[in-house]
Amino acid sequence: MNLSAYFDYLEEFATNHKEIGHTDNAKRFFRVDIEELDNAFRTRANYPLVAALNPIINSTAALSTNIRLNYQGSLLLLDQIKDKGDALERSTKENKLLAIATDFTTKLINDRRSYDIANKTFVLAGLDFGSFNLELVPDRYTSMCGVLLTFRFNDALPQFDISKWNNESKYTVWVSI
């Protein structure tokens, strides 16, 4: 899994979606850590925007020969609201963001279904079709509302490469009696 390619792929979503329209002059896509959201977006962002959060990575294995790296990807779609107490404005913008998040979900699925290995375009090959979650962002952000889209995908853990190690030799496994 190449993280640069992953974030470039997500940036294409923000660039190509008609309601987002990310460009260099109207930045609407950011790769961020969750702690950076409040300060970074208020000063240089255009809305609605897409924030790609760093994926959470863990591993699973049924067999030692099939270890998988599991990723949880997250996209946060945000928009500004003028009045935190204006339920109509919040609901209207949240509905729009939910629709965009659904568009992103169907694009991820479509890309995976129509992946052509000969073409070698980037796709989340291990995308879990049953893993999509949508969550409304709590209203603690006084001037923003949003939707958090999460999804899971996986990739094989590469085999041990002895050429990357000095002084490595075959070893035996200790078994305690």
Side-chain angles (χ1 to χ4, degrees), residues 25-30 37-50 78 80 144:
N25 293 328
K27 295 203 179 289
R28 295 175 187 265
F29 176 85
F30 299 89
L37 290 178
D38 204 27
N39 292 333
F41 293 160
R42 291 180 195 282
T43 58
R44 62 177 195 253
N46 296 283
Y47 294 88
L49 66 77
V50 178
L78 294 172
Q80 290 182 313
M144 289 188 271

Side-chain angles (χ1 to χ4, degrees), residues 99-117:
I100 294 169
T102 301
D103 293 342
F104 281 26
T105 300
T106 58
K107 170 113 172 78
L108 285 163
I109 292 168
N110 184 66
D111 287 356
R112 176 60 187 103
R113 283 183 178 156
S114 61
Y115 178 64
D116 177 6
I117 198 159

Side-chain angles (χ1 to χ4, degrees), residues 12-70:
E12 282 181 25
F13 281 43
T15 301
N16 294 336
H17 193 279
K18 292 178 179 181
E19 292 196 48
I20 301 293
H22 168 73
T23 66
D24 288 340
N25 293 328
K27 295 203 179 289
R28 295 175 187 265
F29 176 85
F30 299 89
R31 176 184 173 182
V32 297
D33 183 281
I34 194 75
E35 302 299 323
E36 298 172 309
L37 290 178
D38 204 27
N39 292 333
F41 293 160
R42 291 180 195 282
T43 58
R44 62 177 195 253
N46 296 283
Y47 294 88
L49 66 77
V50 178
L53 306 174
N54 292 329
I56 297 169
I57 307 166
N58 63 36
S59 66
T60 57
L63 302 169
S64 66
T65 57
N66 189 23
I67 301 171
R68 308 296 294 175
L69 291 176
N70 297 307

Side-chain angles (χ1 to χ4, degrees), residues 59-127:
S59 66
T60 57
L63 302 169
S64 66
T65 57
N66 189 23
I67 301 171
R68 308 296 294 175
L69 291 176
N70 297 307
Y71 297 84
Q72 179 176 311
S74 301
L75 292 172
L76 184 59
L77 292 92
L78 294 172
D79 205 341
Q80 290 182 313
I81 52 176
K82 293 181 178 96
D83 178 3
K84 181 180 175 182
D86 185 344
L88 180 60
E89 179 188 18
R90 176 177 290 280
S91 293
T92 300
K93 290 192 174 183
E94 285 172 340
N95 283 327
K96 179 180 174 183
L97 294 171
L98 281 167
I100 294 169
T102 301
D103 293 342
F104 281 26
T105 300
T106 58
K107 170 113 172 78
L108 285 163
I109 292 168
N110 184 66
D111 287 356
R112 176 60 187 103
R113 283 183 178 156
S114 61
Y115 178 64
D116 177 6
I117 198 159
N119 214 1
K120 296 189 179 174
T121 57
F122 187 84
V123 69
L124 299 176
L127 181 65

